[in-house]
Amino acid sequence: MTGTVLAAPATRRRFLTIGAALAGTALLPGRLRAAEPVMRSWTGVALGADACIQLAHPDPAEADRLIGLCLEEVARLERLFSLYRPDSALRRLNRDGSLAEPPGDLLRLLSEAVAFGRRTDGAFDVTVQPLWQLHAAHFGRPGADPAGPPEAAVAAARGLVDWRGLRVSPERVAFARGGMAATLNGIAQGYVTDRVGELLRRQGMDRVMVDLGEIRALGSRPDGRPWRVGLKDPADESRLSETLEIADRAVATSGGYGTRFDAAGRFSHLFDPATGRSAAHWSAVTVVAADATTADALSTALSILPAGKAETLLAGFPGVTARLTRPDGGVLRLAA
């Protein structure tokens, strides 16, 4: 996730699915043989970001119906996960500190978020929202100190950040301490992308590319070739730094350039829960995994870790690969 997920303003793309631009990635078009199903595409905005759904189907009307089902599912999940909708389940949880009988998808996603907190030793922490609120308030004031919020304020907000303080059960979701709050910005785009992919798979689709801020490919292209995903250069978003070929895989990218609080770009939304400050080890982190939820969460976690710790973390996720871009443009490649 490069920018704010489920946000009011649209975020910038991190991919380009060459053939139809995708957030932070890109799909490269191929020519279909006459006997193959027609590629049907939808492009628009979903979850606050540019989005695209592509599927191959011989009946354009049926393809459009399926795309409509996907958009209904996206809207349903956004009503649960949004930080900006006053009636969302997440907003009610943050406002009241607890939520009885949480909706099934919120329960599932928060459970996965807590599990990633455990597996990453807190590098992924769903409760970093107090740090985001602090920095947004600080830099939203005229004449804000460019050095960022005072250390005492950062320490106070950091004291509210601890994934272990989020209690999740089918009966109730609650925070252990008053003032805690959660954000799903490091995992929700991946989760929603996976749910849309599952919906299409249940409908019999096996040649699909979904980009809702993160990317999930079902199968390969109708011509049998892999889908092509172009990674934007974080130093120059008008060019691609690399093109990936994927089939039955997911891709997610995180980078501080997605949401910057200050004009100098020293403070971004990628907070290190251990320090309360924005991480600066990498300008972008791309993860390829079997599902978009995992790719999204790990790209977030790896973004705040130095190289040695990033390598150790990824070793615990077999089959996952990562591309970490340094601020000077150098690239570190890791594989579990």
Side-chain angles (χ1 to χ4, degrees):
M1 67 121 200
T2 55
T4 304
V5 173
L6 307 176
T11 58
R12 293 175 294 177
R13 295 173 183 255
R14 295 156 289 167
F15 315 99
L16 291 174
T17 41
I18 302 170
L22 301 189
T25 321
L27 298 177
L28 303 176
R31 184 169 297 175
L32 299 178
R33 294 189 295 271
E36 293 176 336
V38 174
M39 184 72 77
R40 201 69 171 175
S41 298
W42 170 87
T43 59
V45 174
L47 310 178
D50 292 335
C52 176
I53 299 172
Q54 294 189 86
L55 57 88
H57 200 288
D59 182 348
E62 176 63 9
D64 289 348
R65 185 188 73 84
L66 293 175
I67 289 172
L69 291 178
C70 293
L71 299 182
E72 290 175 5
E73 179 70 350
V74 171
R76 182 185 71 84
L77 293 170
E78 185 167 15
R79 288 193 293 270
L80 300 179
F81 303 152
S82 176
L83 282 170
Y84 292 86
R85 294 177 63 105
D87 59 341
S88 78
L90 181 61
R91 276 287 294 270
R92 288 185 282 124
L93 171 63
N94 286 344
R95 181 191 67 213
D96 301 335
S98 66
L99 186 66
E101 299 181 350
D105 280 287
L106 181 65
L107 177 65
R108 179 178 175 183
L109 183 51
L110 288 178
S111 296
E112 294 204 33
V114 169
F116 278 112
R118 183 183 311 110
R119 295 185 68 186
T120 64
D121 196 25
F124 179 88
D125 196 319
V126 72
T127 67
V128 295
Q129 182 64 7
L131 289 168
W132 196 97
Q133 292 169 330
L134 172 67
H135 284 76
H138 174 83
F139 286 106
R141 291 191 293 267
D145 184 348
E151 187 57 42
V154 173
R158 185 163 51 88
L160 298 171
V161 176
D162 187 348
W163 61 272
R164 294 163 296 189
L166 178 59
R167 315 289 168 75
V168 181
S169 74
E171 296 74 30
R172 186 169 177 262
V173 176
F175 297 115
R177 298 187 299 281
M180 293 184 70
T183 172
L184 298 171
N185 284 3
I187 192 172
Q189 279 179 319
Y191 180 89
V192 176
T193 299
D194 283 336
R195 299 294 75 74
V196 169
E198 290 176 3
L199 183 157
L200 290 171
R201 195 186 296 278
R202 290 194 301 270
Q203 295 287 329
M205 296 293 94
D206 58 2
R207 295 285 189 269
V208 172
M209 174 66 80
V210 179
D211 175 7
L212 300 175
E214 315 304 350
I215 288 178
R216 177 76 181 268
L218 304 185
S220 58
R221 295 183 58 88
D223 59 10
R225 292 182 296 170
W227 299 94
R228 302 181 68 196
V229 174
L231 305 181
K232 283 193 170 183
D233 185 342
D236 180 1
E237 294 184 60
S238 67
R239 62 182 294 270
L240 299 179
S241 59
E242 186 172 337
T243 299
L244 306 178
E245 294 190 339
I246 63 170
D248 280 322
R249 302 292 282 173
V251 183
T253 292
S254 293
Y257 60 88
T259 299
R260 292 170 173 157
F261 292 104
D262 62 321
R266 294 174 53 206
F267 296 88
S268 78
H269 66 291
L270 290 170
F271 295 107
D272 182 346
T275 65
R277 294 295 187 180
S278 299
H281 302 293
W282 314 102
S283 58
V285 173
T286 295
V287 172
V288 180
D291 62 272
T293 306
T294 296
D296 198 3
L298 288 183
S299 69
T300 303
L302 292 171
S303 293
I304 63 100
L305 295 176
K309 290 185 177 180
E311 185 172 8
T312 299
L313 171 60
L314 199 66
F317 293 85
V320 176
T321 62
R323 182 185 190 276
L324 299 87
T325 304
R326 301 183 181 90
D328 65 3
V331 173
L332 171 66
R333 301 177 190 275
L334 300 175

